[in-house]
Amino acid sequence: MSKNISWGGRFAKGPEEAVAAYTESESFDRALYAHDIRGSQAHARMLGRQGVITPDEAATLVDGLERVKAEIEDGSFVWKADLEDVHMNIEARLTELVGNVGKKLHTGRSRNDQVCLSFRLFMADRLRAWRELAVKLAAMYVSRAESHQGDILPGCTHMQPAQPVSLAHHLLAYAWMLKRDAERMADCERRVRVSPLGAAALAGTTYPLDPESVAADLGMNGTFSNSMDAVADRDFVMEALFVASCTMMHLSRCCEEIIIWANPAFGFVRLPDGYATGSSIMPQKKNPDVAELMRGKVGRVYGSLAAMMTIMKGLPLTYNRDLQEDKEPFLDADRTLSTSLQIMEGMMGELAFNTVRMRSACKAGFLNATELADYLVGKGIPFREAHHITGAAVAEAERQGKGLEDLALEELRAMCDRIDEDVYAVLDYEAAVRRRETRGGTGPCSVARQIADLRAWIAAQD
C-alpha cells in the first residue's frame, strides 16, 4: 500500500489493496488522455500569462506534457493503478520528466474542474464524430432513395397495409430522422463546450486566473457562471446519452424493418452476405444477425442513460465520488453508437430491394381503398358515406379473392351509381402515389424536393 501523491499527506497509509482496485479509474479514463493534456497545456499557458508561474515554467510544462503524450501514443507510457486516474498518471510522469516544476501544473485547479474539462473536451469531439457518421448515413439513405423513386411498396399503420408509397419516400423518412439526430448532436455539443476550469474544487480560487482565455484557447464556447454548478453538473452527459439513445432507436426501427422484410413471407429485401450469418444446423438459413444485434444494442445505450440519471438523482452539491461512474456509460454508448452508424451505412449500401415483390404486395392489402373513398368524395358524396361504401366494396372484393381494381364496373356501381369507368385510373397504385404531391407527401415531385433539400443540408455540413 502506498500513499497517493495527490492527497496522501493527510493519511498515515494508503488504501487497502481491494479499495484501491475498487476506486481506480485509469483503466477506462485513460481514453481521455489527449484531452486531459490539451486542457493542462492551456492551463499552464494561462498560468504563465497571468504571472502565477514564469513563462519559462509554463513552456517547460507545455513541452513536458507533449512528451508525455508521445509516450502514451508510442506505447512506452507505464500506467499505474495506484495513481487512481489518467490525470494523476500524466502529472506524475510529467514531474519525472521535468522535475519539481511539474508539481506547479495543478496550481489554481482541482481534479474536480480538471476532470470536467477533460470529459467535456472528449465528449465534444465524440459528438462531432457522431454527427459526421450520422450525416454519412443520411447521405446513404438519400442515395438509395434516388435510385428507387419509381418503385412502390405498401406503407403500413399498425403493421397492416395502409396506402402505397414510393420506396424512396420510405427510405427518406430515415434520412430525416438522422438529420434531426445530427442537429441534436450539434446542439448538445454547443452546451458541452463550456469550460469549467477555474471553478477549482467548488468555490473558485484565490489565484488570478483567466478562465475565459483557457476556454478560448481550447475552442470552447464560453466558461462557467457558478463554480458549484460547474463541478457538480453532469447534464451534458445525460443529454449526450439521450442523443445517442434517440439515434440508436432510429437505427433499431430500420433494423426491425430489415428483419421483417428479409423474411421470405415478405421477401422485400435480400440480405448482403457480409451482413448476415447462417445456421449451424439448417443450411438454408440466412439470418439477419447484424440487424438483430444492432436492435439489441439499443438496450445498452438506454441502460447507460438510465444509469446516469439514477446516479445524479440524489447527489447533493457539489462533487461526489459517485460521479466517477459517469465515464464508463458514455464510453460504452460511444463505442456502440459509432460502430452501429458505420455498420448501418455499409449494410444499407449493399441491401438489395426486391421491388417486384414490393409492388405485388400492394394488391394484397387493398391499399387503393382510400383512393376509392376520395374518388366518391369527388363525386359529391360525403366522406363518411364514401367511407362506408368503400368498406362494402372491400368486403365484396375480399369475398371474391380479388383486388378492388379487379371488380367489374357493374359490381362497383351496385354499391354506388356514381361510379364510372374513370374509377380504374384512380385505383391504379402508381397513380395513387403520383397524386400525393402535398408537402412531404409520397408523390414524385415531393420526393424530388425532399432529396434536393436533404442534399443541400448534407452539403452544408462541415
Side-chain angles (χ1 to χ4, degrees), residues 5 40 43-44 47 53 56-62 64-65 68 87-107 109 114:
I5 63 169
S40 290
H43 182 65
L47 291 177
I53 61 177
D56 286 345
E57 288 174 327
T60 297
L61 291 172
V62 170
L65 286 164
V68 174
H87 317 287
M88 291 314 304
N89 268 270
I90 289 172
E91 184 178 323
R93 180 56 181 154
L94 172 68
T95 302
E96 290 174 354
L97 290 173
V98 304
N100 281 337
V101 69
K103 298 177 181 179
K104 295 188 176 185
L105 176 62
H106 209 55
T107 306
R109 74 176 181 183
Q114 179 185 4

Side-chain angles (χ1 to χ4, degrees), residues 201-214:
L202 79 160
T205 178
T206 59
Y207 292 97
L209 305 186
D210 183 7
E212 289 77 12
S213 71
V214 173

Side-chain angles (χ1 to χ4, degrees), residues 350-367:
E350 296 187 32
L351 197 66
F353 296 105
N354 187 339
T355 56
V356 174
R357 189 68 175 266
M358 289 179 174
R359 170 64 176 78
S360 65
C362 291
K363 187 171 182 177
F366 303 103
L367 271 73

Side-chain angles (χ1 to χ4, degrees), residues 5-318:
I5 63 169
S6 70
W7 48 261
R10 165 67 174 79
F11 293 78
K13 67 175 185 176
E16 296 295 331
E17 185 175 342
V19 172
Y22 189 69
T23 58
E24 69 82 24
S25 62
E26 64 82 20
S27 59
F28 55 86
D29 68 15
R30 64 175 66 172
L32 279 59
Y33 79 88
H35 301 84
D36 183 70
I37 288 172
R38 278 180 59 203
S40 290
Q41 288 175 322
H43 182 65
R45 286 190 289 266
M46 181 271 295
L47 291 177
R49 288 193 301 271
Q50 295 298 107
V52 178
I53 61 177
T54 70
D56 286 345
E57 288 174 327
T60 297
L61 291 172
V62 170
D63 291 344
L65 286 164
E66 201 63 36
R67 291 168 61 189
V68 174
K69 182 181 179 184
E71 288 185 1
I72 294 173
E73 293 179 347
D74 69 20
S76 62
F77 188 91
V78 179
W79 295 95
K80 299 176 181 178
D82 63 342
L83 293 177
E84 290 187 347
D85 58 26
V86 61
H87 317 287
M88 291 314 304
N89 268 270
I90 289 172
E91 184 178 323
R93 180 56 181 154
L94 172 68
T95 302
E96 290 174 354
L97 290 173
V98 304
N100 281 337
V101 69
K103 298 177 181 179
K104 295 188 176 185
L105 176 62
H106 209 55
T107 306
R109 74 176 181 183
S110 162
R111 270 195 297 180
N112 293 356
D113 58 343
Q114 179 185 4
V115 168
C116 287
L117 176 64
S118 301
F119 199 15
R120 282 176 177 271
L121 288 170
F122 177 83
M123 186 178 295
D125 285 352
R126 295 313 304 153
L127 281 161
R128 185 158 294 186
W130 294 357
R131 181 159 57 92
E132 291 171 357
L133 292 170
V135 171
K136 287 182 67 178
L137 180 53
M140 175 58 72
Y141 279 110
V142 173
S143 178
R144 297 308 308 269
E146 284 181 314
S147 302
H148 291 285
Q149 296 179 66
D151 298 312
I152 65 170
L153 77 161
C156 295
T157 63
H158 307 279
M159 201 50 207
Q160 299 297 313
Q163 292 178 293
V165 296
S166 76
L167 176 55
H169 191 56
H170 194 116
L171 293 170
L172 290 172
Y174 287 106
W176 288 112
M177 293 180 206
L178 284 159
K179 179 177 182 289
R180 294 194 299 274
D181 291 328
E183 290 168 345
R184 273 187 285 267
M185 292 165 187
D187 198 45
C188 182
E189 182 189 342
R190 179 176 60 82
R191 279 183 288 279
V192 169
R193 288 192 185 276
V194 175
S195 175
L197 205 63
L202 79 160
T205 178
T206 59
Y207 292 97
L209 305 186
D210 183 7
E212 289 77 12
S213 71
V214 173
D217 191 356
L218 294 170
M220 306 291 265
N221 296 328
T223 188
F224 64 95
S225 298
N226 180 289
S227 61
M228 296 180 75
D229 181 48
V231 298
D233 169 46
R234 291 300 184 275
D235 291 3
F236 65 98
V237 185
M238 292 182 286
E239 184 176 357
L241 288 171
F242 169 76
V243 170
S245 296
C246 193
T247 306
M248 284 298 297
M249 174 269 292
H250 289 148
L251 298 184
S252 182
R253 296 183 72 179
C254 187
C255 287
E256 176 76 2
E257 294 200 318
I258 290 171
I259 292 162
I260 293 170
W261 288 1
N263 187 304
F266 279 78
F268 287 0
V269 298
R270 290 185 295 276
L271 294 169
D273 289 351
Y275 295 88
T277 64
S279 166
S280 63
I281 191 173
M282 295 168 285
Q284 84 283 7
K285 294 292 292 297
K286 192 173 188 181
N287 297 326
D289 281 18
V290 174
E292 290 174 342
L293 190 56
M294 193 177 297
R295 183 179 60 180
K297 283 180 178 292
V298 177
R300 293 176 69 108
V301 182
Y302 284 5
S304 294
L305 174 59
M308 199 60 226
M309 295 184 73
T310 303
I311 289 166
M312 294 301 298
K313 74 175 183 63
L315 294 187
L317 293 177
T318 54

